[in-house]
Amino acid sequence: MSRRQRSGRLGRSEAASGLLLVSPTALYALLLLAAPLATILAFSFWSQDYLTIDRSFTLKNYQEAFASQANGDMSLYLELMFRSLRISGAVTVATVLLAFPMAYFVSFHVAPSRKSMWIFLITIPFWTSYLIRVFLWKVILGYNGVFNTTLQGVGIIDEPLTFILYNANAVVITLAHAYAPFAILPIFVALEKIDRSLLEASRDLGENHITTFLRVTLPLAMPGVVAAVLIVFIPTIGDYVTPRLVGGPGGQMIANMIQTQFLKLNNAPMGAALAVLAMLMVGAISVIFVMLNRRFLGGQK
Amino acid sequence: MKGGGLRIYAVLYLVFLYAPIVLLPIFAFNDSTIIAFPLSGFTTKWFGELADIPALHGAVLNSLMIAITTSLLATTLGICASRASARYAFPGKKPIMGFIMLPLVLPEIIVAVALLVVLLALGLPLGAWTVILGHVLICTPFSIAILTSAFANMDRSLEEAAVDLGETPWSTFRLITLPLVMPGIISSLLISFTISLDEFIIAFFLTGTEPTLPVYLWSQLRFPQKIPAVMALGTILVALSVLLLTIAEYYRRRGVARAGGKDTGGFL
């Protein structure tokens, strides 16, 4: 009651104060995110002839994106789109699977006072120059790279491995490295929230370590895993630097084509159409994933 | 031993995470233009070379200016939104906050091209300010994530006491709230600064004729003879980021301690 009286005395309701306070940030996001996203949608229905933009409505860009090539193969755009989805999917699976034991270790086997030090250690590499990190993976994975020379030195292999640079594998390894903290943190937070007495109860009721993990820990950690999957999958599909530096011709992704359309071919409308298609695809897959997860794991938020 | 296997896994995972960063200084001090093992010998000449590149100095100054402006603007916007979300209930709170946080998960290339088409459509020239606009957009969600916990951890009765003792809302905010969340604000400034300084794709699309540091680095990666100097530059940048983050982490922990909360760890 006293709070309501006080805000009454100040002459503004709680809702009005909140809205007023959030409005600068909301307005900024509206002007610099909502409006640009709407503009890109509009652009995708326009066309461009060298530097002049023709603003009459056309579906030409989308038709071009979906049209088959003369020899019956799918268009380069669709091929890049599906390849991006495949690579992002592989990155997501690899990153989350590798991250889970790490998050589990920090949450269950590290003393509470040292947990934040571990989390800090995990996040540091993520804050260092992304370009340089990706470039160093090129150095590590190259023909005469650190990885190959080490393996040759130890005598495990005779010839340098060539399947780890300038292809989709290299992109997956590099992105799994870049997005590791994004996967570890949400899983860690979910694991931290688990009431430890539930695990004790499970053990008391005769379940062993493995069944307790599968039937208690894992379902309770699922919200964190879902968040990790989304937070890795959605941004990786639009990654430009990694495919460009370590991907080779077979590892290029949709973002590279969007960049080419905008900055090299002066075809902003086609680039916009590809950006819209990429967003739609990522959005659709994310929604399906969340729904499947709800359906099979029973009403978890 | 409890968690023995997992502990080995965790250490190996840390090796994987740190592999590129550990290699960076090794090659920066290596006396060879070829970035590969075996190493040739110790040298500091690549660091000396950095002093003789005027284009690099321009890019550094440009990036610093952009990063400082971005961190101030993003933190200001972050304070408004996180204070509103931690303190008040208002209609449409969830969708509004969700929309503001959207750049956190949106692929950066989408943000970059979306801003580019607007600038193209309006016929505006590209430059440092357009990069700032984009960077503020992506840094604000990080700022909000840090500051929301700072505001939420604060004991609200302290503010109520100040109002009861006759302070105006503004002087309460200045005298009570601001000092309590100051560690969060410093942490947010440092994080936004670090993100902006390192951000490549938005700067790549929106920078005009004056490149930012990452855009300059990108242009140098094509020339093999320039790589050792890039490694030296990278070493300096990594050392700087680690230093800034350690300071940010220090203030974040102090903030948590000052508010009497439990440390949940991490920035995100």
Side-chain angles (χ1 to χ4, degrees):
Chain A
M1 266 336 259
S2 71
R3 190 160 298 136
R4 181 173 296 167
Q5 282 165 7
R6 190 166 301 122
S7 51
R9 199 168 72 208
L10 299 174
R12 252 192 264 135
S13 74
E14 164 138 348
S17 307
L19 280 173
L20 189 70
L21 200 51
V22 83
S23 60
T25 319
L27 215 59
Y28 192 87
L30 204 65
L31 279 176
L32 282 127
L33 189 60
L37 289 178
T39 315
I40 215 166
L41 191 64
F43 253 76
S44 73
F45 293 109
W46 295 343
S47 54
Q48 185 167 6
D49 183 24
Y50 188 52
L51 285 179
T52 34
I53 305 256
D54 178 1
R55 296 188 181 191
S56 47
F57 180 87
T58 173
L59 286 172
K60 187 174 78 83
N61 300 314
Y62 290 100
Q63 279 160 354
E64 199 183 322
F66 285 108
S68 304
Q69 286 175 23
N71 60 8
D73 286 353
M74 72 167 95
S75 73
L76 181 61
Y77 304 119
L78 273 192
E79 197 190 319
L80 280 173
M81 201 78 85
F82 285 125
R83 184 192 294 157
S84 304
L85 287 178
R86 267 203 315 277
I87 292 179
S88 282
V91 171
T92 310
V93 171
T95 312
V96 173
L97 283 183
L98 287 173
F100 195 94
M102 187 68 178
Y104 185 86
F105 171 76
V106 179
S107 180
F108 282 81
H109 293 294
V110 171
S113 58
R114 305 189 61 185
K115 277 180 186 171
S116 61
M117 202 252 325
W118 271 85
I119 293 296
F120 186 54
L121 271 182
I122 289 165
T123 42
I124 282 185
F126 162 73
W127 295 107
T128 58
S129 172
Y130 179 55
L131 279 182
I132 289 176
R133 262 185 295 150
V134 175
F135 182 79
L136 281 161
W137 276 106
K138 193 167 143 174
V139 174
I140 294 173
L141 300 173
Y143 191 79
N144 287 319
V146 177
F147 192 67
N148 274 326
T149 45
T150 310
L151 287 188
Q152 278 174 305
V154 182
I156 297 174
I157 53 169
D158 297 323
E159 288 288 305
L161 306 172
T162 51
F163 63 88
I164 50 173
L165 187 63
Y166 298 130
N167 54 32
N169 295 336
V171 178
V172 173
I173 295 172
T174 310
L175 287 176
H177 177 263
Y179 282 87
F182 281 113
I184 294 176
L185 290 178
I187 298 174
F188 170 75
V189 170
L191 288 172
E192 281 292 279
K193 282 185 189 157
I194 296 176
D195 187 346
R196 301 301 195 259
S197 58
L198 290 174
L199 307 181
E200 285 169 25
S202 163
R203 300 298 304 282
D204 288 344
L205 292 169
E207 302 279 5
N208 61 30
H209 275 295
I210 294 164
T211 50
T212 300
F213 175 79
L214 289 177
R215 298 177 66 175
V216 183
T217 316
L218 196 57
L220 287 173
M222 240 14 225
V225 174
V226 172
V229 165
L230 293 178
I231 218 166
V232 174
F233 180 72
I234 299 174
T236 45
I237 210 139
D239 197 86
Y240 170 81
V241 173
T242 302
R244 190 68 205 283
L245 278 182
V246 303
Q252 298 300 299
M253 290 165 69
I254 194 69
N256 305 90
M257 181 51 94
I258 294 175
Q259 187 267 345
T260 306
Q261 294 291 342
F262 270 99
L263 301 186
K264 296 246 169 73
L265 300 178
N266 277 319
N267 193 350
M270 188 69 217
L274 293 175
V276 170
L277 284 177
M279 271 193 290
L280 284 179
M281 239 193 270
V282 173
I285 290 175
S286 304
V287 169
I288 292 170
F289 175 75
V290 170
M291 274 167 42
L292 279 179
N293 185 62
R294 276 205 192 143
R295 172 86 178 68
F296 289 108
L297 289 163
Q300 295 209 6
K301 272 169 268 166
Chain B
M1 197 182 97
K2 198 174 172 236
L6 267 178
R7 182 173 290 273
I8 295 166
Y9 177 83
V11 171
L12 286 177
Y13 198 97
L14 281 184
V15 171
F16 167 65
L17 282 183
Y18 279 85
I21 302 172
V22 171
L23 288 170
L24 190 58
I26 294 179
F27 290 121
F29 289 108
N30 183 28
D31 191 8
S32 163
T33 48
I34 301 155
I35 306 294
F37 285 116
L39 301 173
S40 317
F42 183 83
T43 179
T44 54
K45 70 177 173 193
W46 308 123
F47 288 89
E49 215 170 73
L50 292 177
D52 305 325
I53 313 172
L56 168 67
H57 304 163
V60 168
L61 284 180
N62 197 23
S63 265
L64 283 178
M65 192 272 288
I66 290 173
I68 291 171
T69 317
T70 299
S71 65
L72 289 173
L73 288 175
T75 304
T76 310
L77 289 176
I79 291 174
C80 293
S82 52
R83 168 76 171 162
S85 118
R87 169 73 176 75
Y88 299 101
F90 50 91
K93 182 168 165 177
K94 265 204 162 168
I96 292 174
M97 291 309 292
F99 184 68
I100 293 172
M101 299 301 271
L102 188 62
L104 209 54
V105 289
L106 212 57
E108 279 181 9
I109 189 147
I110 304 283
V111 176
V113 295
L115 284 169
L116 183 67
V117 291
V118 170
L119 295 166
L120 280 179
L122 296 175
L124 294 169
L126 299 177
W129 71 278
T130 50
V131 180
I132 293 172
L133 288 182
H135 281 183
V136 170
L137 195 65
I138 59 160
C139 288
T140 305
F142 283 93
S143 168
I144 293 173
I146 296 165
L147 288 167
T148 302
S149 69
F151 277 116
N153 280 338
M154 197 180 63
D155 188 350
R156 204 196 272 180
S157 56
L158 294 172
E159 289 180 276
E160 288 173 358
V163 174
D164 287 343
L165 291 169
E167 295 289 347
T168 64
W170 171 242
S171 63
T172 306
F173 184 76
R174 197 168 53 84
L175 293 170
I176 308 293
T177 319
L178 215 48
L180 281 172
V181 294
M182 198 37 102
I185 292 175
I186 293 172
S187 168
S188 154
L189 284 171
L190 290 173
I191 295 289
S192 307
F193 179 85
T194 314
I195 294 173
S196 169
L197 199 62
D198 185 41
E199 201 286 330
F200 168 70
I201 199 77
I202 290 176
F204 185 47
F205 275 84
L206 299 182
T207 197
T209 46
E210 289 184 356
T212 65
L213 186 55
V215 176
Y216 173 79
L217 270 177
W218 178 254
S219 70
Q220 298 303 298
L221 289 178
R222 271 179 296 157
F223 307 111
Q225 73 276 18
K226 300 266 179 71
I227 298 299
V230 170
M231 296 286 118
L233 183 60
T235 306
I236 298 173
L237 285 179
V238 167
L240 206 70
S241 317
V242 171
L243 184 72
L244 283 180
L245 288 168
T246 312
I247 299 173
E249 172 71 3
Y250 170 76
Y251 277 106
R252 195 190 59 80
R253 284 190 191 181
R254 222 174 77 170
V256 171
R258 193 183 285 190
K262 193 170 132 283
D263 193 353
T264 48
F267 295 113
L268 295 174

PDB file of all heavy atoms in Angstrom, chain B residues 243-255:
ATOM      1  N   LEU B 243      43.255  -7.828 -19.322  1.00  0.00           N
ATOM      2  CA  LEU B 243      43.372  -6.842 -18.250  1.00  0.00           C
ATOM      3  C   LEU B 243      42.013  -6.182 -17.971  1.00  0.00           C
ATOM      4  O   LEU B 243      41.554  -6.119 -16.825  1.00  0.00           O
ATOM      5  CB  LEU B 243      44.407  -5.780 -18.655  1.00  0.00           C
ATOM      6  CG  LEU B 243      44.709  -4.730 -17.594  1.00  0.00           C
ATOM      7  CD1 LEU B 243      45.532  -5.349 -16.469  1.00  0.00           C
ATOM      8  CD2 LEU B 243      45.454  -3.551 -18.190  1.00  0.00           C
ATOM      9  N   LEU B 244      41.351  -5.706 -19.055  1.00  0.00           N
ATOM     10  CA  LEU B 244      40.047  -5.042 -18.891  1.00  0.00           C
ATOM     11  C   LEU B 244      39.029  -5.970 -18.252  1.00  0.00           C
ATOM     12  O   LEU B 244      38.260  -5.566 -17.389  1.00  0.00           O
ATOM     13  CB  LEU B 244      39.525  -4.577 -20.251  1.00  0.00           C
ATOM     14  CG  LEU B 244      40.161  -3.322 -20.831  1.00  0.00           C
ATOM     15  CD1 LEU B 244      39.533  -2.988 -22.172  1.00  0.00           C
ATOM     16  CD2 LEU B 244      39.974  -2.153 -19.869  1.00  0.00           C
ATOM     17  N   LEU B 245      39.043  -7.248 -18.697  1.00  0.00           N
ATOM     18  CA  LEU B 245      38.061  -8.197 -18.169  1.00  0.00           C
ATOM     19  C   LEU B 245      38.306  -8.502 -16.707  1.00  0.00           C
ATOM     20  O   LEU B 245      37.362  -8.656 -15.937  1.00  0.00           O
ATOM     21  CB  LEU B 245      38.117  -9.493 -18.964  1.00  0.00           C
ATOM     22  CG  LEU B 245      37.545  -9.359 -20.360  1.00  0.00           C
ATOM     23  CD1 LEU B 245      37.896 -10.557 -21.186  1.00  0.00           C
ATOM     24  CD2 LEU B 245      36.042  -9.191 -20.264  1.00  0.00           C
ATOM     25  N   THR B 246      39.575  -8.582 -16.345  1.00  0.00           N
ATOM     26  CA  THR B 246      39.882  -8.844 -14.943  1.00  0.00           C
ATOM     27  C   THR B 246      39.377  -7.691 -14.081  1.00  0.00           C
ATOM     28  O   THR B 246      38.782  -7.910 -13.025  1.00  0.00           O
ATOM     29  CB  THR B 246      41.396  -9.045 -14.757  1.00  0.00           C
ATOM     30  OG1 THR B 246      41.848  -9.960 -15.759  1.00  0.00           O
ATOM     31  CG2 THR B 246      41.727  -9.596 -13.400  1.00  0.00           C
ATOM     32  N   ILE B 247      39.563  -6.449 -14.578  1.00  0.00           N
ATOM     33  CA  ILE B 247      39.040  -5.294 -13.836  1.00  0.00           C
ATOM     34  C   ILE B 247      37.519  -5.363 -13.764  1.00  0.00           C
ATOM     35  O   ILE B 247      36.918  -5.171 -12.709  1.00  0.00           O
ATOM     36  CB  ILE B 247      39.491  -3.979 -14.506  1.00  0.00           C
ATOM     37  CG1 ILE B 247      41.022  -3.887 -14.512  1.00  0.00           C
ATOM     38  CG2 ILE B 247      38.899  -2.769 -13.780  1.00  0.00           C
ATOM     39  CD1 ILE B 247      41.552  -2.713 -15.305  1.00  0.00           C
ATOM     40  N   ALA B 248      36.872  -5.691 -14.936  1.00  0.00           N
ATOM     41  CA  ALA B 248      35.411  -5.775 -14.971  1.00  0.00           C
ATOM     42  C   ALA B 248      34.916  -6.833 -13.992  1.00  0.00           C
ATOM     43  O   ALA B 248      33.954  -6.616 -13.256  1.00  0.00           O
ATOM     44  CB  ALA B 248      34.931  -6.087 -16.385  1.00  0.00           C
ATOM     45  N   GLU B 249      35.593  -7.990 -13.975  1.00  0.00           N
ATOM     46  CA  GLU B 249      35.198  -9.080 -13.084  1.00  0.00           C
ATOM     47  C   GLU B 249      35.364  -8.662 -11.624  1.00  0.00           C
ATOM     48  O   GLU B 249      34.515  -8.935 -10.778  1.00  0.00           O
ATOM     49  CB  GLU B 249      36.045 -10.323 -13.401  1.00  0.00           C
ATOM     50  CG  GLU B 249      35.895 -11.497 -12.440  1.00  0.00           C
ATOM     51  CD  GLU B 249      34.553 -12.210 -12.561  1.00  0.00           C
ATOM     52  OE1 GLU B 249      33.762 -11.839 -13.425  1.00  0.00           O
ATOM     53  OE2 GLU B 249      34.310 -13.130 -11.759  1.00  0.00           O
ATOM     54  N   TYR B 250      36.463  -7.936 -11.344  1.00  0.00           N
ATOM     55  CA  TYR B 250      36.712  -7.455  -9.987  1.00  0.00           C
ATOM     56  C   TYR B 250      35.548  -6.577  -9.527  1.00  0.00           C
ATOM     57  O   TYR B 250      35.007  -6.760  -8.434  1.00  0.00           O
ATOM     58  CB  TYR B 250      38.027  -6.682  -9.955  1.00  0.00           C
ATOM     59  CG  TYR B 250      38.276  -5.945  -8.658  1.00  0.00           C
ATOM     60  CD1 TYR B 250      38.689  -6.631  -7.515  1.00  0.00           C
ATOM     61  CD2 TYR B 250      38.080  -4.566  -8.574  1.00  0.00           C
ATOM     62  CE1 TYR B 250      38.902  -5.962  -6.333  1.00  0.00           C
ATOM     63  CE2 TYR B 250      38.299  -3.887  -7.397  1.00  0.00           C
ATOM     64  CZ  TYR B 250      38.709  -4.590  -6.273  1.00  0.00           C
ATOM     65  OH  TYR B 250      38.915  -3.918  -5.094  1.00  0.00           O
ATOM     66  N   TYR B 251      35.145  -5.616 -10.391  1.00  0.00           N
ATOM     67  CA  TYR B 251      34.052  -4.712 -10.017  1.00  0.00           C
ATOM     68  C   TYR B 251      32.723  -5.445  -9.919  1.00  0.00           C
ATOM     69  O   TYR B 251      31.898  -5.142  -9.061  1.00  0.00           O
ATOM     70  CB  TYR B 251      33.951  -3.555 -11.007  1.00  0.00           C
ATOM     71  CG  TYR B 251      34.915  -2.459 -10.679  1.00  0.00           C
ATOM     72  CD1 TYR B 251      36.064  -2.250 -11.425  1.00  0.00           C
ATOM     73  CD2 TYR B 251      34.686  -1.625  -9.583  1.00  0.00           C
ATOM     74  CE1 TYR B 251      36.958  -1.258 -11.103  1.00  0.00           C
ATOM     75  CE2 TYR B 251      35.573  -0.628  -9.250  1.00  0.00           C
ATOM     76  CZ  TYR B 251      36.711  -0.450 -10.007  1.00  0.00           C
ATOM     77  OH  TYR B 251      37.591   0.518  -9.678  1.00  0.00           O
ATOM     78  N   ARG B 252      32.522  -6.428 -10.816  1.00  0.00           N
ATOM     79  CA  ARG B 252      31.268  -7.176 -10.761  1.00  0.00           C
ATOM     80  C   ARG B 252      31.164  -7.919  -9.431  1.00  0.00           C
ATOM     81  O   ARG B 252      30.139  -7.891  -8.771  1.00  0.00           O
ATOM     82  CB  ARG B 252      31.196  -8.163 -11.917  1.00  0.00           C
ATOM     83  CG  ARG B 252      29.802  -8.735 -12.167  1.00  0.00           C
ATOM     84  CD  ARG B 252      29.861  -9.872 -13.154  1.00  0.00           C
ATOM     85  NE  ARG B 252      30.727 -10.942 -12.675  1.00  0.00           N
ATOM     86  CZ  ARG B 252      30.350 -11.844 -11.778  1.00  0.00           C
ATOM     87  NH1 ARG B 252      29.140 -11.800 -11.281  1.00  0.00           N
ATOM     88  NH2 ARG B 252      31.183 -12.785 -11.376  1.00  0.00           N
ATOM     89  N   ARG B 253      32.261  -8.561  -9.028  1.00  0.00           N
ATOM     90  CA  ARG B 253      32.248  -9.293  -7.756  1.00  0.00           C
ATOM     91  C   ARG B 253      32.051  -8.351  -6.576  1.00  0.00           C
ATOM     92  O   ARG B 253      31.337  -8.658  -5.640  1.00  0.00           O
ATOM     93  CB  ARG B 253      33.552 -10.050  -7.562  1.00  0.00           C
ATOM     94  CG  ARG B 253      33.618 -11.274  -8.406  1.00  0.00           C
ATOM     95  CD  ARG B 253      34.790 -12.108  -8.003  1.00  0.00           C
ATOM     96  NE  ARG B 253      34.987 -13.154  -8.977  1.00  0.00           N
ATOM     97  CZ  ARG B 253      35.937 -14.061  -8.887  1.00  0.00           C
ATOM     98  NH1 ARG B 253      36.776 -14.028  -7.860  1.00  0.00           N
ATOM     99  NH2 ARG B 253      36.060 -14.966  -9.792  1.00  0.00           N
ATOM    100  N   ARG B 254      32.726  -7.187  -6.649  1.00  0.00           N
ATOM    101  CA  ARG B 254      32.579  -6.229  -5.563  1.00  0.00           C
ATOM    102  C   ARG B 254      31.142  -5.759  -5.470  1.00  0.00           C
ATOM    103  O   ARG B 254      30.612  -5.577  -4.379  1.00  0.00           O
ATOM    104  CB  ARG B 254      33.508  -5.038  -5.791  1.00  0.00           C
ATOM    105  CG  ARG B 254      34.178  -4.612  -4.509  1.00  0.00           C
ATOM    106  CD  ARG B 254      35.193  -3.561  -4.746  1.00  0.00           C
ATOM    107  NE  ARG B 254      34.582  -2.272  -4.958  1.00  0.00           N
ATOM    108  CZ  ARG B 254      35.281  -1.142  -4.996  1.00  0.00           C
ATOM    109  NH1 ARG B 254      36.579  -1.172  -4.867  1.00  0.00           N
ATOM    110  NH2 ARG B 254      34.684   0.001  -5.177  1.00  0.00           N
ATOM    111  N   GLY B 255      30.523  -5.582  -6.658  1.00  0.00           N
ATOM    112  CA  GLY B 255      29.116  -5.161  -6.692  1.00  0.00           C
ATOM    113  C   GLY B 255      28.234  -6.200  -6.043  1.00  0.00           C
ATOM    114  O   GLY B 255      27.355  -5.881  -5.244  1.00  0.00           O
TER     115      GLY B 255
END
